[in-house]
Amino acid sequence: MKTVLITGFEPFGGEQVNPSWEVVSRLDNAIIAGCRVVARQLPCVFDESLSVLNSAIDTLSPALVLAIGQAGGRTDITVERVAINVDDARIADNKGQQPVDEPIVAEGPAAWFSTLPIKAMVAAMREAGVPASVSQTAGTFVCNHVMYGLLHKLSDLSEVKGGFIHIPYLPQQAAAHPGAPSMAAETVRLALEIAITTALQVDNDIAVTGGATH
């Protein structure tokens, strides 16, 4: 049986929970589209996050890798299109590191694009009634760091698909941020199950608009 590796992060930025791990942990050992899902938690720490991720990839030899992260303030499930080769941290990571304008991979390409069928995934989520869209930026914090590092590693493993998805706050987090949007854990779980199924079954993405004007 093939394996799907899905990752979430530990809490950061003063939050008590991270919705990515709260939901991803519930998928551990699930069987989706005939594949076994293995969940792993990543530290919200530059470099260390990639060490944990790369070790899991080497150990599990997955057919698909989905990294999930919190994007407080976003209103829907956002499937990331691209990661850029820069760390530029507005806040410190969980070990106090705050790199500014540093490359993730020295001499690496400026960017890596997701190898997931991102538009087909968004379409499938919307069809199931889950708000979703394509995102054009994964930021410049640890989420982008992980996405870039993941895709850099997978560039030598062409048979493995991979990418990153950002999710909103959980309702209990939004309660502490008046006016902030949120999404229930069960809705996010449904979205991730759809994302996994679509990524495994669709090799050629659909040609529909997913761009942004700004």
Side-chain angles (χ1 to χ4, degrees), residues 21-194:
W21 181 243
E22 291 298 307
V23 178
V24 163
S25 62
R26 302 180 189 187
L27 294 173
D28 192 37
N29 288 319
I31 305 299
I32 300 177
C35 295
R36 181 175 70 99
V37 178
V38 177
R40 293 287 185 269
Q41 186 183 72
L42 302 182
C44 189
V45 179
F46 291 101
D47 295 333
E48 187 178 325
S49 53
L50 285 180
S51 295
V52 174
L53 175 62
N54 290 338
S55 177
I57 293 172
D58 293 340
T59 299
L60 297 168
S61 299
L64 169 68
V65 184
L66 278 180
I68 315 300
Q70 167 189 300
R74 291 193 184 180
T75 59
D76 57 358
I77 303 292
T78 48
V79 184
E80 298 296 342
R81 187 194 296 263
V82 61
I84 58 175
N85 190 14
V86 65
D87 290 332
D88 192 2
R90 181 180 58 81
I91 62 173
D93 69 11
N94 283 356
K95 286 196 172 177
Q97 300 176 107
Q98 194 171 0
V100 175
D101 297 340
E102 295 183 8
I104 299 167
V105 177
E107 309 303 325
W112 284 112
F113 284 91
S114 173
T115 57
L116 302 174
I118 60 174
K119 294 181 178 180
M121 291 162 67
V122 166
M125 291 181 206
R126 288 176 174 173
E127 186 174 352
V130 179
S133 62
V134 174
S135 169
Q136 317 303 329
T137 175
T140 55
F141 194 51
V142 182
C143 288
N144 177 77
H145 183 90
V146 163
M147 182 180 178
Y148 185 93
L150 166 63
L151 295 171
H152 189 77
K153 182 175 181 64
L154 295 189
S155 66
D156 291 326
L157 301 169
S158 59
E159 72 281 4
V160 184
K161 294 178 181 177
F164 198 100
I165 298 174
H166 267 119
I167 63 175
Y169 283 140
L170 294 174
Q172 62 264 39
Q173 292 177 283
H177 301 280
S182 66
M183 187 174 288
E186 285 307 309
T187 303
V188 177
R189 176 173 179 161
L190 172 62
L192 297 185
E193 290 173 347
I194 292 169

